[in-house]
Amino acid sequence: MIRLSTKGRYGTRLMVNLARHHKNSNEPTILKNVSEEEGISIRYLEQIIIPLKINRLVKSIRGAGGGYILARKPTDIKICDILYALEGSCSLVECIEDETFCEKVKTCGTYEIWKGANDLLRGYFEKMTLQDALEICEKKIADAKKKTKVK
Amino acid sequence: MIRLSTKGRYGTRLMVNLARHHKNSNEPTILKNVSEEEGISIRYLEQIIIPLKINRLVKSIRGAGGGYILARKPTDIKICDILYALEGSCSLVECIEDETFCEKVKTCGTYEIWKGANDLLRGYFEKMTLQDALEICEKKIADAKKKTKVK
DNA sequence: AATATTTCAACATAAATTTATAGGAATTAT
DNA sequence: ATAATTCCTATAAATTTATGTTGAAATATT
Ligand code: FES
Ligand code: FES
Protein backbone atom coordinates (compact mmCIF):
# COMPACT_ATOMS: atom_id res chain seq x y z
CA MET A 1 0.00 0.00 0.00
CA ILE A 2 2.68 2.32 1.01
CA ARG A 3 6.03 1.55 -0.29
CA LEU A 4 9.44 2.27 1.01
CA SER A 5 11.51 2.72 -2.15
CA THR A 6 14.41 0.40 -2.82
CA LYS A 7 16.67 3.39 -2.45
CA GLY A 8 15.40 3.77 1.11
CA ARG A 9 15.68 0.07 1.87
CA TYR A 10 19.07 -0.47 0.29
CA GLY A 11 20.44 2.77 1.67
CA THR A 12 19.45 1.90 5.22
CA ARG A 13 20.97 -1.57 4.89
CA LEU A 14 24.11 0.09 3.59
CA MET A 15 24.23 2.33 6.66
CA VAL A 16 23.68 -0.57 9.06
CA ASN A 17 26.44 -2.44 7.27
CA LEU A 18 28.82 0.50 7.66
CA ALA A 19 27.83 0.74 11.31
CA ARG A 20 28.75 -2.88 11.91
CA HIS A 21 32.17 -2.41 10.36
CA HIS A 22 32.56 0.89 12.18
CA LYS A 23 32.23 -0.98 15.46
CA ASN A 24 34.84 -3.55 14.54
CA SER A 25 37.55 -1.37 13.02
CA ASN A 26 38.47 2.14 11.98
CA GLU A 27 39.25 1.08 8.43
CA PRO A 28 37.05 2.43 5.68
CA THR A 29 34.57 -0.05 4.28
CA ILE A 30 34.59 -0.63 0.54
CA LEU A 31 31.38 -0.95 -1.41
CA LYS A 32 32.58 -4.19 -2.94
CA ASN A 33 32.26 -5.82 0.47
CA VAL A 34 28.91 -4.25 1.19
CA SER A 35 27.76 -5.44 -2.20
CA GLU A 36 28.73 -9.02 -1.45
CA GLU A 37 27.35 -9.03 2.07
CA GLU A 38 24.05 -7.42 1.19
CA GLY A 39 23.56 -8.80 -2.30
CA ILE A 40 23.18 -5.41 -3.95
CA SER A 41 25.14 -4.45 -7.07
CA ILE A 42 28.12 -2.12 -6.53
CA ARG A 43 26.95 0.19 -9.28
CA TYR A 44 23.64 0.70 -7.59
CA LEU A 45 25.24 1.18 -4.18
CA GLU A 46 27.46 3.85 -5.70
CA GLN A 47 24.41 5.82 -6.73
CA ILE A 48 22.63 5.31 -3.46
CA ILE A 49 25.53 6.46 -1.34
CA ILE A 50 25.80 9.84 -3.10
CA PRO A 51 22.93 11.49 -1.20
CA LEU A 52 24.20 9.94 2.02
CA LYS A 53 27.51 11.64 1.38
CA ILE A 54 25.92 14.95 0.41
CA ASN A 55 23.90 14.89 3.62
CA ARG A 56 27.06 14.17 5.60
CA LEU A 57 26.00 10.85 7.01
CA VAL A 58 29.05 9.13 5.54
CA LYS A 59 32.51 10.28 4.50
CA SER A 60 34.35 8.95 1.49
CA ILE A 61 38.05 8.27 1.22
CA ARG A 62 39.27 7.99 -2.33
CA GLY A 63 41.96 5.87 -3.86
CA ALA A 64 43.49 2.58 -2.87
CA GLY A 65 42.81 1.71 0.74
CA GLY A 66 39.87 4.07 0.63
CA GLY A 67 36.19 3.42 1.16
CA TYR A 68 33.44 4.85 3.28
CA ILE A 69 33.06 5.51 6.99
CA LEU A 70 30.19 6.84 9.07
CA ALA A 71 30.43 10.58 9.56
CA ARG A 72 29.04 10.37 13.10
CA LYS A 73 28.55 7.79 15.82
CA PRO A 74 25.63 5.39 15.22
CA THR A 75 23.91 6.86 18.30
CA ASP A 76 23.88 10.23 16.56
CA ILE A 77 22.30 9.08 13.31
CA LYS A 78 18.56 8.73 13.24
CA ILE A 79 16.83 6.42 10.77
CA CYS A 80 14.83 9.48 9.83
CA ASP A 81 18.04 11.26 8.79
CA ILE A 82 18.87 8.39 6.47
CA LEU A 83 15.43 8.27 4.90
CA TYR A 84 15.39 12.02 4.54
CA ALA A 85 18.74 11.99 2.76
CA LEU A 86 17.67 9.21 0.43
CA GLU A 87 14.18 10.35 -0.43
CA GLY A 88 14.58 14.10 -0.16
CA SER A 89 11.63 14.31 2.14
CA CYS A 90 10.26 12.41 5.05
CA SER A 91 6.55 12.25 4.43
CA LEU A 92 3.96 9.79 3.30
CA VAL A 93 2.39 12.19 0.81
CA GLU A 94 4.02 15.25 -0.68
CA CYS A 95 1.26 17.67 0.30
CA ILE A 96 2.38 17.40 3.92
CA GLU A 97 5.74 18.99 3.20
CA ASP A 98 4.68 21.02 0.19
CA GLU A 99 1.31 22.69 0.64
CA THR A 100 1.15 23.60 -3.03
CA PHE A 101 1.53 19.99 -4.17
CA CYS A 102 -2.17 19.15 -4.07
CA GLU A 103 -4.45 21.88 -5.38
CA LYS A 104 -7.39 20.82 -3.28
CA VAL A 105 -5.77 20.66 0.15
CA LYS A 106 -8.45 22.84 1.70
CA THR A 107 -11.30 20.54 0.78
CA CYS A 108 -9.41 17.26 0.50
CA GLY A 109 -11.14 14.56 2.47
CA THR A 110 -8.02 12.50 2.96
CA TYR A 111 -5.30 14.96 3.94
CA GLU A 112 -5.88 14.48 7.67
CA ILE A 113 -5.75 10.71 7.32
CA TRP A 114 -2.32 10.82 5.75
CA LYS A 115 -1.18 13.47 8.19
CA GLY A 116 -2.05 11.25 11.12
CA ALA A 117 -0.26 8.27 9.64
CA ASN A 118 2.68 10.44 8.77
CA ASP A 119 3.03 11.76 12.32
CA LEU A 120 3.01 8.19 13.64
CA LEU A 121 5.73 7.13 11.24
CA ARG A 122 7.84 10.17 11.75
CA GLY A 123 7.73 9.76 15.51
CA TYR A 124 8.88 6.19 15.10
CA PHE A 125 11.75 6.97 12.75
CA GLU A 126 12.82 10.02 14.78
CA LYS A 127 13.28 7.93 17.88
CA MET A 128 15.11 5.09 16.24
CA THR A 129 18.84 5.47 15.68
CA LEU A 130 21.36 3.52 13.69
CA GLN A 131 22.61 2.22 17.03
CA ASP A 132 19.20 0.69 17.76
CA ALA A 133 19.17 -0.93 14.34
CA LEU A 134 22.68 -2.22 14.92
CA GLU A 135 21.74 -3.82 18.23
CA ILE A 136 18.65 -5.49 16.79
CA CYS A 137 20.76 -6.77 13.95
CA GLU A 138 23.60 -8.13 16.10
CA LYS A 139 21.17 -9.84 18.43
CA LYS A 140 19.41 -11.42 15.49
CA ILE A 141 22.60 -12.76 14.00
CA ALA A 142 23.79 -14.05 17.37
CA ASP A 143 20.48 -15.88 17.86
CA ALA A 144 20.71 -17.36 14.39
CA LYS A 145 24.20 -18.69 15.19
CA LYS A 146 23.03 -20.20 18.47
CA LYS A 147 20.26 -22.04 16.71
CA THR A 148 22.55 -23.62 14.15
CA LYS A 149 24.94 -24.65 16.96
CA VAL A 150 22.21 -26.36 18.94
CA LYS A 151 21.27 -28.27 15.85
CA MET B 1 10.79 8.68 2.36
CA ILE B 2 7.88 6.41 2.13
CA ARG B 3 5.41 7.12 -0.52
CA LEU B 4 1.78 6.42 -0.80
CA SER B 5 1.25 5.87 -4.53
CA THR B 6 -1.04 8.15 -6.46
CA LYS B 7 -3.28 5.18 -7.00
CA GLY B 8 -3.68 4.94 -3.23
CA ARG B 9 -4.18 8.66 -2.78
CA TYR B 10 -6.57 9.13 -5.69
CA GLY B 11 -8.46 5.95 -4.92
CA THR B 12 -9.07 6.94 -1.33
CA ARG B 13 -10.24 10.39 -2.38
CA LEU B 14 -12.55 8.70 -4.85
CA MET B 15 -14.01 6.56 -2.06
CA VAL B 16 -14.49 9.54 0.24
CA ASN B 17 -16.19 11.35 -2.61
CA LEU B 18 -18.55 8.43 -3.17
CA ALA B 19 -19.21 8.31 0.57
CA ARG B 20 -20.25 11.96 0.58
CA HIS B 21 -22.68 11.44 -2.26
CA HIS B 22 -23.88 8.23 -0.68
CA LYS B 23 -24.90 10.22 2.38
CA ASN B 24 -26.84 12.78 0.38
CA SER B 25 -28.69 10.55 -2.04
CA ASN B 26 -29.12 7.02 -3.27
CA GLU B 27 -28.33 7.97 -6.84
CA PRO B 28 -25.20 6.49 -8.35
CA THR B 29 -22.29 8.90 -8.69
CA ILE B 30 -20.73 9.31 -12.12
CA LEU B 31 -17.00 9.53 -12.52
CA LYS B 32 -17.35 12.74 -14.50
CA ASN B 33 -18.49 14.50 -11.33
CA VAL B 34 -15.78 12.93 -9.20
CA SER B 35 -13.29 13.98 -11.82
CA GLU B 36 -14.41 17.61 -11.68
CA GLU B 37 -14.66 17.74 -7.91
CA GLU B 38 -11.33 16.09 -7.26
CA GLY B 39 -9.39 17.36 -10.24
CA ILE B 40 -8.39 13.89 -11.45
CA SER B 41 -8.84 12.80 -15.08
CA ILE B 42 -11.80 10.51 -15.77
CA ARG B 43 -9.61 8.10 -17.69
CA TYR B 44 -7.35 7.64 -14.73
CA LEU B 45 -10.26 7.28 -12.31
CA GLU B 46 -11.68 4.57 -14.55
CA GLN B 47 -8.50 2.58 -14.13
CA ILE B 48 -8.29 3.18 -10.42
CA ILE B 49 -11.85 2.12 -9.71
CA ILE B 50 -11.39 -1.30 -11.32
CA PRO B 51 -9.63 -2.89 -8.33
CA LEU B 52 -12.12 -1.23 -6.00
CA LYS B 53 -14.88 -2.96 -7.92
CA ILE B 54 -13.06 -6.28 -8.02
CA ASN B 55 -12.61 -6.13 -4.25
CA ARG B 56 -16.30 -5.32 -3.84
CA LEU B 57 -15.90 -1.95 -2.23
CA VAL B 58 -17.99 -0.28 -4.93
CA LYS B 59 -20.71 -1.44 -7.30
CA SER B 60 -21.09 -0.22 -10.85
CA ILE B 61 -24.40 0.47 -12.57
CA ARG B 62 -24.17 0.70 -16.33
CA GLY B 63 -26.17 2.74 -18.79
CA ALA B 64 -28.01 6.02 -18.55
CA GLY B 65 -28.60 7.07 -14.98
CA GLY B 66 -25.85 4.71 -13.90
CA GLY B 67 -22.60 5.32 -12.11
CA TYR B 68 -20.95 3.95 -8.98
CA ILE B 69 -22.16 3.41 -5.43
CA LEU B 70 -20.49 2.14 -2.30
CA ALA B 71 -20.98 -1.59 -1.84
CA ARG B 72 -21.22 -1.24 1.95
CA LYS B 73 -21.90 1.46 4.53
CA PRO B 74 -18.97 3.83 5.17
CA THR B 75 -18.76 2.47 8.72
CA ASP B 76 -18.04 -0.97 7.29
CA ILE B 77 -15.21 0.06 4.97
CA LYS B 78 -11.79 0.39 6.52
CA ILE B 79 -9.14 2.61 4.96
CA CYS B 80 -6.96 -0.47 5.06
CA ASP B 81 -9.44 -2.30 2.80
CA ILE B 82 -9.16 0.49 0.26
CA LEU B 83 -5.38 0.56 0.31
CA TYR B 84 -5.25 -3.20 0.14
CA ALA B 85 -7.51 -3.25 -2.90
CA LEU B 86 -5.50 -0.56 -4.64
CA GLU B 87 -2.01 -1.73 -3.89
CA GLY B 88 -2.54 -5.45 -3.66
CA SER B 89 -0.81 -5.58 -0.31
CA CYS B 90 -0.79 -3.58 2.83
CA SER B 91 2.83 -3.41 3.87
CA LEU B 92 5.68 -0.96 3.89
CA VAL B 93 8.16 -3.42 2.41
CA GLU B 94 7.33 -6.55 0.49
CA CYS B 95 9.39 -8.89 2.64
CA ILE B 96 6.81 -8.53 5.42
CA GLU B 97 4.09 -10.18 3.36
CA ASP B 98 6.31 -12.30 1.19
CA GLU B 99 9.18 -13.91 3.11
CA THR B 100 10.91 -14.93 -0.08
CA PHE B 101 11.07 -11.38 -1.42
CA CYS B 102 14.38 -10.49 0.22
CA GLU B 103 16.98 -13.23 0.13
CA LYS B 104 18.75 -12.07 3.25
CA VAL B 105 15.83 -11.81 5.63
CA LYS B 106 17.57 -13.89 8.26
CA THR B 107 20.53 -11.58 8.57
CA CYS B 108 18.95 -8.36 7.40
CA GLY B 109 19.68 -5.56 9.82
CA THR B 110 16.64 -3.54 8.86
CA TYR B 111 13.76 -5.98 8.67
CA GLU B 112 12.69 -5.38 12.26
CA ILE B 113 12.72 -1.63 11.75
CA TRP B 114 10.30 -1.83 8.86
CA LYS B 115 8.21 -4.42 10.66
CA GLY B 116 7.75 -2.08 13.61
CA ALA B 117 6.78 0.82 11.37
CA ASN B 118 4.48 -1.41 9.40
CA ASP B 119 2.63 -2.60 12.49
CA LEU B 120 2.09 1.00 13.57
CA LEU B 121 0.69 1.97 10.19
CA ARG B 122 -1.46 -1.08 9.83
CA GLY B 123 -3.00 -0.53 13.26
CA TYR B 124 -3.82 3.02 12.27
CA PHE B 125 -5.40 2.14 8.94
CA GLU B 126 -7.27 -0.83 10.39
CA LYS B 127 -8.98 1.37 12.94
CA MET B 128 -9.90 4.15 10.58
CA THR B 129 -13.04 3.75 8.49
CA LEU B 130 -14.43 5.63 5.55
CA GLN B 131 -16.98 7.05 7.98
CA ASP B 132 -14.17 8.62 10.04
CA ALA B 133 -12.67 10.11 6.93
CA LEU B 134 -16.07 11.41 5.90
CA GLU B 135 -16.61 13.14 9.24
CA ILE B 136 -13.18 14.76 9.18
CA CYS B 137 -13.86 15.93 5.68
CA GLU B 138 -17.33 17.37 6.36
CA LYS B 139 -16.08 19.18 9.45
CA LYS B 140 -13.22 20.65 7.50
CA ILE B 141 -15.45 21.93 4.73
CA ALA B 142 -17.94 23.35 7.23
CA ASP B 143 -15.11 25.17 9.01
CA ALA B 144 -13.82 26.54 5.74
CA LYS B 145 -17.29 27.92 4.94
CA LYS B 146 -17.60 29.55 8.36
CA LYS B 147 -14.30 31.31 7.89
CA THR B 148 -15.25 32.82 4.56
CA LYS B 149 -18.59 33.97 6.02
CA VAL B 150 -16.88 35.79 8.91
CA LYS B 151 -14.69 37.54 6.42
C1' DA C 1 -40.24 -1.79 -30.59
C1' DA C 2 -36.68 1.21 -32.32
C1' DT C 3 -33.49 4.73 -31.46
C1' DA C 4 -30.58 7.75 -29.10
C1' DT C 5 -28.18 8.66 -24.97
C1' DT C 6 -25.64 7.71 -21.03
C1' DT C 7 -22.44 5.33 -18.77
C1' DC C 8 -19.12 1.68 -17.80
C1' DA C 9 -15.50 -1.64 -20.03
C1' DA C 10 -11.47 -2.83 -22.50
C1' DC C 11 -7.50 -2.05 -24.94
C1' DA C 12 -3.73 0.67 -26.59
C1' DT C 13 -0.17 3.96 -26.02
C1' DA C 14 2.55 7.84 -24.34
C1' DA C 15 5.19 10.21 -20.68
C1' DA C 16 7.58 10.22 -16.48
C1' DT C 17 9.92 8.07 -12.82
C1' DT C 18 12.31 4.41 -10.53
C1' DT C 19 15.45 0.69 -10.70
C1' DA C 20 19.59 -1.21 -12.38
C1' DT C 21 23.80 -1.88 -15.21
C1' DA C 22 28.03 -0.26 -17.75
C1' DG C 23 32.39 2.17 -18.95
C1' DG C 24 35.83 4.86 -17.98
C1' DA C 25 38.15 9.03 -15.46
C1' DA C 26 40.17 10.73 -11.16
C1' DT C 27 42.57 9.86 -6.89
C1' DT C 28 45.50 7.59 -3.68
C1' DA C 29 48.53 3.88 -1.45
C1' DT C 30 52.04 0.85 -2.35
C1' DA D 1 54.13 2.40 -12.56
C1' DT D 2 50.45 -0.39 -10.79
C1' DA D 3 46.49 -1.69 -8.43
C1' DA D 4 42.58 -0.36 -5.75
C1' DT D 5 38.98 2.46 -5.04
C1' DT D 6 35.70 6.32 -5.45
C1' DC D 7 33.50 9.49 -8.86
C1' DC D 8 30.98 10.81 -12.99
C1' DT D 9 28.15 10.15 -16.97
C1' DA D 10 25.39 7.49 -19.94
C1' DT D 11 21.87 4.34 -20.87
C1' DA D 12 18.80 0.32 -20.53
C1' DA D 13 14.85 -1.97 -18.35
C1' DA D 14 10.90 -1.93 -15.61
C1' DT D 15 7.21 0.26 -13.40
C1' DT D 16 4.08 3.96 -12.45
C1' DT D 17 1.31 7.64 -14.06
C1' DA D 18 -1.72 9.48 -17.42
C1' DT D 19 -4.34 10.04 -21.79
C1' DG D 20 -6.92 8.37 -26.02
C1' DT D 21 -10.01 5.43 -28.79
C1' DT D 22 -13.41 2.36 -29.45
C1' DG D 23 -16.94 -0.70 -27.96
C1' DA D 24 -20.63 -2.84 -25.06
C1' DA D 25 -24.45 -2.63 -21.94
C1' DA D 26 -28.27 -0.51 -19.77
C1' DT D 27 -31.67 2.94 -19.78
C1' DA D 28 -34.73 6.71 -21.34
C1' DT D 29 -37.31 8.54 -25.01
C1' DT D 30 -39.99 8.45 -28.98
S1 FES E 1 -4.28 17.32 -0.06
FE1 FES E 1 -2.83 15.94 -0.86
S2 FES E 1 -3.95 14.06 -0.92
FE2 FES E 1 -5.41 15.48 -0.32
S1 FES F 1 14.54 -8.48 4.71
FE1 FES F 1 13.57 -7.17 3.30
S2 FES F 1 14.60 -5.28 3.66
FE2 FES F 1 15.68 -6.66 4.88
Side-chain angles (χ1 to χ4, degrees), chain A residues 93 95 101-102 104-106 108-111 114, chain B residues 9 13:
Chain A
V93 291
C95 37
F101 183 77
C102 287
K104 314 250 173 185
V105 183
K106 278 173 197 158
C108 177
T110 59
Y111 179 86
W114 313 137
Chain B
R9 272 194 300 125
R13 273 167 69 188

Side-chain angles (χ1 to χ4, degrees), chain A residues 3 5-7 10 41 43-44 46-47 62-64:
Chain A
R3 243 189 45 235
S5 74
T6 59
K7 230 173 160 180
Y10 290 174
S41 99
R43 298 303 185 177
Y44 202 18
E46 282 177 346
Q47 281 180 62
R62 300 185 69 167

Side-chain angles (χ1 to χ4, degrees), chain A residues 71-140:
Chain A
R72 305 197 292 267
K73 285 177 296 178
T75 45
D76 295 343
I77 298 176
K78 293 180 288 191
I79 300 298
C80 201
D81 298 334
I82 299 171
L83 294 175
Y84 189 91
L86 290 165
E87 314 269 353
S89 84
C90 200
S91 50
L92 204 63
V93 291
E94 297 211 29
C95 37
I96 287 176
E97 300 224 323
D98 174 8
E99 296 256 329
T100 67
F101 183 77
C102 287
E103 286 176 24
K104 314 250 173 185
V105 183
K106 278 173 197 158
T107 54
C108 177
T110 59
Y111 179 86
E112 279 72 17
I113 302 178
W114 313 137
K115 181 85 170 71
N118 195 69
D119 290 348
L120 263 184
L121 267 192
R122 166 140 359 190
Y124 178 82
F125 287 128
E126 281 277 352
K127 261 183 225 150
M128 182 158 303
T129 69
L130 197 50
Q131 177 65 32
D132 298 325
L134 187 58
E135 279 164 19
I136 292 169
C137 175
E138 307 258 89
K139 186 172 177 307
K140 185 173 171 180

Side-chain angles (χ1 to χ4, degrees), chain A residues 4-21:
Chain A
L4 182 60
S5 74
T6 59
K7 230 173 160 180
R9 274 193 299 125
Y10 290 174
T12 309
R13 274 167 69 188
L14 170 55
M15 288 297 282
V16 173
N17 193 293
L18 290 185
R20 291 175 64 192
H21 287 136

